[in-house]
Amino acid sequence: MKKRSGYVFLILLSFQRLLGVSPVLPQILKIDEICDNARDDDGDGLIDINDPDCDCILIEPKSLIPNPSFEEMNCCPQSQSQLNCAITWIQASAPTTDYLHTCGWMGWPNLPPPLPFPDGEAAVGFRNGRFGQMPDSNWKEYAGACLLGPLKAGVAYKFRFWVGFTDVENSPPTNIVFYGAKNCEELPFGKGNTQFGCPVNGPGWVELGRVFISGDKQWLLKEINVTPKEDINAMVIGPDCEPSAPSINPYYFFDNLVLDEQRNFDYQIRPQGFPCTDRFTLEIPAIEDYTYQWFKEGIALIGETKPTLQVKYGEGKYQTRITGRDGCRLALPYFHQLPQSTGYSTVKICPGAVYKFQQQRLSSAGEYLDTFKTIHNCDSIVHLTLEIEDQLQDTVQARILEGEQYKIGSSLYGTPGQYLSHLSSAIGCDSTVLLQLDFYKIYFPTGFSPNDDGKNDRFGFFGGAELQRIVAFNVFDRWGGLVWSIRDVPPGDADAFWDGSSRAQPAAEGLYTYVATLLLADGREHVRYGGVTLTR
């Protein structure tokens, strides 16, 4: 940790007349910026780690893979197979990967990459098998690089990268494999053989790890944990060694390949508990013989010198500085923000009623806003739209067949007249209905004489426009046997009337019953039960 001296000029004034001595020359006092006392010690307006004098190494993964997001380039790709445009990257296999960049070629028309790319403007596409005019299930495309520094034997590393998918059909589930070699001279492998397959089909390469991938038109972040058994200086990424189905185009993408020691990924601030409660804490892994200091917005939190911090200082940017024999290091910032949910609700009340909304008692329609606390003490903002139900007054005109009843609420009405009913709406408000009830003017004869004298020879119904259709009409004898039946005929049709016959023979004189289903002017089907006397 660097410290810079600040200078405060202390001018001792001369009291020449009083003391009879020459003026004293200004004296300069040297003051250092102390990096953990929450004060601006050197007077430059910057406090603690906000001051450049308090610089520490930031703990974050730095990829051992050069040009990890393929952003550095020496040319814009104009077509497929141009990985050479990405600086430091090597076309590792004879089957060639594709370099995509927004400045030029952006992939095959039938195999588009999901956009945007995870990091920057470039990505790499690769196949795991090929079909078409030259099908080849062992056509496997790999990209490789010589590492900036070796993966050391016995040291834990993490390889974190983004993998992209076209669609489920052309990016089926598979394995992405991370391969390594001791010497960079192993790149490229396969000596130009397009059917060589994966690197471990030849000498010099080992599989360092793999991860299963599955997705659809998206990018997913994947990780492979690696502890090499020998020093590794060259890497390759691509598909596994299993032959792929040649009936499809198995195609994928990768971007932002970060390879570093495991501890540089893991050493970060992690939250514990619910952020709105008093028990919410931030934690950093403890390292023996190291000291800790917590900061908010770059200013030290006095007394907070443990790996765990109880968050009682509000929202903001928190960091931890750890100090040991090798100097000081800073964890990546953790931005603490209290979660806040927003909900919308519409409520309707009766006229004159009061609705309780938190501490408010509302009786007027309008828009209201209030903040509630969730079970974890977080804020939940609710937008309320309050509506007042209109005074419900209605007039209903209805008609029924004689013998039927009309229902309003719990009341039944069976004779013509005007009736006033008091009801409750769906939310319990009072409403008033004036019912104006009348009979349908449909004539149902009680007897007929089918003797072919031209008078009353057939039995049926007469109703004018009120009777729209005869849905069903069945006549029974006194023992309940079906004598005659019709379905779905217009009311004026000859088939809508019974001619007094049964099975092509004249029916006997006597009383018959009938059941008729009639479609009336209200659009509803009404059922009529009755009797008719047949005389000859």
Side-chain angles (χ1 to χ4, degrees):
M1 175 173 59
K2 299 178 183 178
K3 293 186 178 180
R4 186 186 63 187
S5 299
Y7 296 94
V8 176
F9 293 95
L10 180 61
I11 301 175
L12 303 178
L13 298 177
S14 169
F15 297 97
Q16 190 173 16
R17 293 182 180 178
L18 296 175
L19 301 178
V21 296
S22 299
V24 178
L25 294 176
Q27 308 229 349
I28 300 175
L29 297 179
K30 185 178 180 181
I31 298 178
D32 293 330
E33 174 70 21
I34 300 173
C35 300
D36 55 7
N37 65 353
R39 292 200 300 265
D40 180 15
D41 303 289
D42 58 6
D44 64 355
L46 302 173
I47 301 175
D48 293 347
I49 61 174
N50 294 312
D51 194 318
D53 303 335
C54 297
D55 283 346
C56 289
I57 299 173
L58 192 64
I59 305 172
E60 61 178 339
K62 295 182 179 179
S63 188
L64 292 170
I65 299 173
N67 195 11
S69 293
F70 314 102
E71 296 302 304
E72 299 174 38
M73 60 181 183
N74 52 36
C75 59
C76 276
Q78 300 304 309
S79 64
Q80 72 273 17
S81 306
Q82 293 188 356
L83 184 62
N84 59 292
C85 285
I87 294 175
T88 71
W89 280 94
I90 298 171
Q91 181 54 60
S93 55
T96 54
T97 55
D98 301 322
Y99 182 49
L100 287 69
H101 199 289
T102 56
C103 69
W105 192 74
M106 281 293 288
W108 299 90
N110 61 326
L111 300 169
L115 295 175
F117 296 138
D119 186 41
E121 299 175 322
V124 167
F126 67 97
R127 295 182 191 274
N128 181 20
R130 185 177 67 174
F131 86 107
Q133 294 180 349
M134 296 181 293
D136 186 351
S137 62
N138 207 36
W139 183 279
K140 295 179 179 290
E141 300 176 352
Y142 298 87
C146 191
L147 299 177
L148 297 173
L151 301 184
K152 297 179 181 179
V155 176
Y157 295 86
K158 184 185 290 291
F159 181 30
R160 178 179 290 171
F161 59 95
W162 289 89
V163 60
F165 304 84
T166 56
D167 52 46
V168 174
E169 180 180 359
N170 288 305
S171 295
T174 189
N175 293 302
I176 292 290
V177 183
F178 179 37
Y179 302 92
K182 188 173 182 179
N183 300 310
C184 290
E185 289 76 12
E186 302 293 343
L187 285 169
F189 61 85
K191 299 180 180 179
N193 180 5
T194 59
Q195 295 190 352
F196 186 84
C198 71
V200 296
N201 287 340
W205 290 92
V206 295
E207 180 180 321
L208 297 175
R210 64 174 56 201
V211 63
F212 179 77
I213 61 170
S214 177
D216 180 18
K217 301 175 183 176
Q218 65 189 133
W219 288 94
L220 295 176
L221 188 62
K222 294 294 181 179
E223 293 181 349
I224 298 175
N225 294 318
V226 179
T227 304
K229 297 180 179 180
E230 59 180 348
D231 288 358
I232 298 295
N233 285 282
M235 59 79 61
V236 160
I237 183 173
D240 60 21
C241 296
E242 296 297 321
S244 176
S247 61
I248 59 171
N249 243 331
Y251 199 81
Y252 310 84
F253 310 89
F254 48 73
D255 189 16
N256 194 21
L257 283 62
V258 180
L259 173 64
D260 199 0
E261 290 188 40
Q262 176 84 40
R263 63 178 183 173
N264 291 330
F265 286 92
D266 293 347
Y267 204 82
Q268 54 186 289
I269 299 171
R270 300 185 185 276
Q272 299 292 332
F274 295 102
C276 303
T277 65
D278 295 337
R279 297 182 179 180
F280 179 68
T281 60
L282 299 177
E283 297 181 359
I284 197 82
I287 302 178
E288 188 176 357
D289 297 329
Y290 276 73
T291 61
Y292 297 82
Q293 176 62 56
W294 287 88
F295 299 82
K296 181 187 176 187
E297 309 300 344
I299 300 174
L301 299 172
I302 304 302
E304 300 292 359
T305 57
K306 297 180 180 179
T308 299
L309 171 72
Q310 183 178 356
V311 182
K312 54 187 177 182
Y313 303 96
E315 297 179 305
K317 181 182 74 173
Y318 288 84
Q319 278 183 283
T320 311
R321 185 192 68 193
I322 63 172
T323 307
R325 294 185 303 273
D326 54 352
C328 73
R329 291 188 292 169
L330 274 176
L332 288 171
Y334 177 87
F335 294 90
H336 173 51
Q337 186 174 11
L338 296 177
Q340 190 179 84
S341 61
T342 302
Y344 296 85
S345 178
T346 299
V347 174
K348 182 176 286 189
I349 62 174
C350 301
V354 173
Y355 182 76
K356 187 176 181 181
F357 185 53
Q358 282 286 77
Q359 303 303 316
Q360 305 178 67
R361 295 176 63 83
L362 309 176
S363 58
S364 300
E367 302 288 331
Y368 299 91
L369 185 70
D370 212 332
T371 301
F372 295 75
K373 290 293 184 181
T374 68
I375 59 173
H376 298 303
N377 203 42
C378 294
D379 287 341
S380 177
I381 299 175
V382 176
H383 294 257
L384 172 68
T385 300
L386 186 64
E387 299 176 351
I388 309 297
E389 185 159 272
D390 296 333
Q391 293 282 355
L392 296 180
Q393 296 180 345
D394 199 5
T395 298
V396 175
Q397 293 181 336
R399 286 176 291 176
I400 59 175
L401 293 176
E402 189 174 353
E404 289 184 322
Q405 291 182 313
Y406 192 88
K407 185 176 182 180
I408 293 184
S410 59
S411 302
L412 296 173
Y413 304 93
T415 57
Q418 293 192 99
Y419 305 93
L420 193 62
S421 295
H422 298 282
L423 306 176
S424 292
S425 69
I427 64 170
C429 301
D430 290 337
S431 64
T432 303
V433 176
L434 176 62
L435 172 62
Q436 297 176 343
L437 187 64
D438 200 356
F439 284 144
Y440 276 108
K441 294 179 173 53
I442 297 176
Y443 175 61
F444 298 93
T446 57
F448 75 116
S449 56
N451 53 13
D452 295 327
D453 62 357
K455 297 179 182 179
N456 201 22
D457 287 329
R458 292 174 175 265
F459 170 60
F461 315 116
F462 305 91
E466 293 183 343
L467 177 58
Q468 296 188 346
R469 195 137 189 107
I470 298 175
V471 179
F473 184 12
N474 299 307
V475 179
F476 304 90
D477 61 24
R478 58 180 178 174
W479 295 282
L482 181 64
V483 174
W484 181 78
S485 177
I486 58 164
R487 296 188 64 82
D488 195 28
V489 294
D493 194 288
D495 292 337
F497 294 85
W498 180 36
D499 63 359
S501 64
S502 176
R503 296 183 180 88
Q505 298 295 323
E509 291 185 324
L511 180 64
Y512 292 83
T513 59
Y514 64 86
V515 178
T517 302
L518 309 177
L519 179 64
L520 302 182
D522 60 3
R524 297 170 50 235
E525 293 182 359
H526 295 249
V527 179
R528 168 76 179 195
Y529 301 89
V532 62
T533 301
L534 187 155
T535 58
R536 294 190 184 275

